[in-house]
Amino acid sequence: MKDVAAHAGVGLKTVSRVVNGEPGVTPDTERRVQESIESLGFRRNDSARVLRKGRTASVGLVLEDLADPFYGPLSRAVEEVARAHGALLINGSSAEDPGREQELALALCARRVDGLIVIPAGDDHRYLEPEIRAGVATVFVDRPAGRIEADAVLSDSFGGARAGTAHLLAHGHRRIAFIGDQPRIHTAAERLRGYRAAMEDAGARIDDSWVSLGSTAPERVRGALAAMLDAAEPVTAVLAGNNRVTVTVVRHLAAHVRPVALVGFDDIELADLLGITVIAQDAAALGRTAAERLFRRLDGVREAPARVTLETRLIPRGSGELAPAD
């Protein structure tokens, strides 16, 4: 900064104001300083800035799976909010492994991020209590924190699954399958609860063989669906618990002789062209709301942790409106 000041013929404080976007510099002086910065190849020392200000202007995002299309718009929305606040976003994937989630979250804290947004893989987040007490603002998104009080921004998984099941019931189905994710995952449990609530509301029987929770690996989902379709009382409709399950179900049903109704939780690419009825979440709104809440915390807002629930939307496109084949 001393070199820039000498080159531009200004004081060191003037360079500091320009570099940090502070007021009190005339346009002409700011232009001269910026030209000197470009000419000399000056780069601000962010490590020194952290020592002086105690803030890194960076936030961490712990996702479940970077390859999952659901997290693309969510991550982009968080990044846009962070950028608007002059912060850098650093993200990583837990691969749905609680141990890896903890390792990644603590690694980000060790690098002095100002805040964390976490899509939790585990159900015990007491490991973050020392970091939160130390001032690391933390918001959970898509699923709530486990065993600690913390801000959370969620979709209405229960209400969405209930509406999707009720939609199938309204089109005459009574043997409806639910194929979901791991039962320990909050969203999977809530969607199963919504499915059961809708079936009970309608007085419809729930057979244990119509419900399958577990890995979303295609072979597991295909095996569960095949067993349901080949049973003595085959299911006539499927509520798919997330986008990965929906994709596998669509592929399997493409070769199935009898038509089977389908409602998928989460929208998927080409669902409009394929005519797939879905319960759509607003992934971008989840990310944006979580990030805005995080920066409110970083700006000094002090309030009790809160849970924000965003509505889902049923989009009928044809697959969920098929009548039972028998």
Side-chain angles (χ1 to χ4, degrees):
M1 288 175 68
K2 288 178 182 178
D3 292 338
V4 171
H7 189 274
V10 298
L12 189 61
K13 181 60 179 175
T14 299
V15 177
S16 176
R17 284 175 176 156
V18 172
V19 169
N20 292 295
E22 298 172 359
V25 182
T26 66
D28 181 62
T29 300
E30 181 177 0
R31 178 185 55 78
R32 293 203 332 265
V33 171
Q34 292 289 6
E35 287 175 351
S36 294
I37 286 172
E38 290 297 322
S39 175
L40 296 174
F42 169 81
R43 295 293 181 270
R44 183 174 62 194
N45 186 327
D46 280 335
S47 296
R49 186 168 179 261
V50 168
L51 292 173
R52 182 166 61 86
K53 291 195 169 186
R55 293 275 292 271
T56 62
S58 63
V59 294
L61 172 61
V62 180
L63 297 163
E64 175 201 338
D65 183 356
L66 290 168
D68 189 329
F70 174 75
Y71 295 116
L74 189 154
S75 177
R76 178 66 180 271
V78 172
E79 186 175 28
E80 288 175 353
V81 174
R83 188 168 181 266
H85 285 82
L88 175 70
L89 177 67
I90 307 169
N91 60 30
S93 171
S94 70
E96 203 62 76
D97 179 346
R100 186 166 169 178
E101 172 214 299
Q102 179 174 340
E103 180 184 348
L104 179 57
L106 292 178
L108 289 166
C109 290
R111 284 160 178 74
R112 302 281 302 277
V113 293
D114 299 323
L116 281 176
I117 294 176
V118 181
I119 297 170
D123 55 8
D124 186 349
H125 294 93
R126 289 175 295 176
Y127 71 86
L128 280 173
E129 285 182 328
E131 310 300 333
I132 294 171
R133 284 196 299 269
V136 179
T138 306
V139 178
F140 290 79
V141 64
D142 192 40
R143 308 162 188 170
R147 306 185 73 176
I148 64 170
E149 292 295 320
D151 288 322
V153 180
L154 317 173
S155 288
D156 184 8
S157 286
F158 169 79
R162 189 175 192 173
T165 306
H167 187 74
L168 292 168
L169 287 161
H171 284 82
H173 296 276
R174 287 299 179 271
R175 299 196 301 273
I176 302 172
F178 176 78
I179 304 177
D181 210 331
Q182 303 280 1
R184 62 178 173 77
I185 297 173
H186 173 81
T187 48
E190 284 294 285
R191 291 167 195 176
L192 174 59
R193 194 167 69 87
Y195 159 82
R196 289 189 178 277
M199 295 289 277
E200 289 168 4
D201 289 344
R205 177 171 63 96
I206 302 174
D207 192 302
D208 289 343
S209 66
W210 301 344
V211 175
S212 178
L213 277 74
S215 165
T216 58
E219 57 274 15
R220 201 285 299 182
V221 175
R222 281 196 303 266
L225 179 57
M228 295 173 186
L229 295 174
D230 294 340
E233 288 187 299
V235 297
T236 63
V238 178
L239 178 68
N242 65 26
N243 55 355
R244 286 165 292 185
V245 173
T246 301
V247 169
T248 301
V249 170
V250 168
R251 286 176 172 159
H252 189 84
L253 292 181
H256 192 66
V257 177
R258 301 172 69 187
V260 176
L262 169 65
V263 173
F265 209 112
D266 295 336
D267 211 351
I268 61 173
E269 190 175 4
L270 301 181
D272 53 339
L273 296 178
L274 295 172
I276 302 170
T277 298
V278 299
I279 303 148
Q281 302 184 81
D282 192 337
L286 281 170
R288 184 169 56 252
T289 304
E292 287 170 350
R293 191 158 194 87
L294 183 75
F295 281 97
R296 275 169 52 82
R297 294 288 189 191
L298 292 175
D299 289 341
V301 174
R302 295 290 177 262
E303 57 190 15
R307 181 177 294 194
V308 178
T309 303
L310 305 184
E311 294 298 318
T312 57
R313 184 166 57 102
L314 177 69
I315 306 176
R317 293 183 176 132
S319 72
E321 294 69 57
L322 296 172
D326 55 1

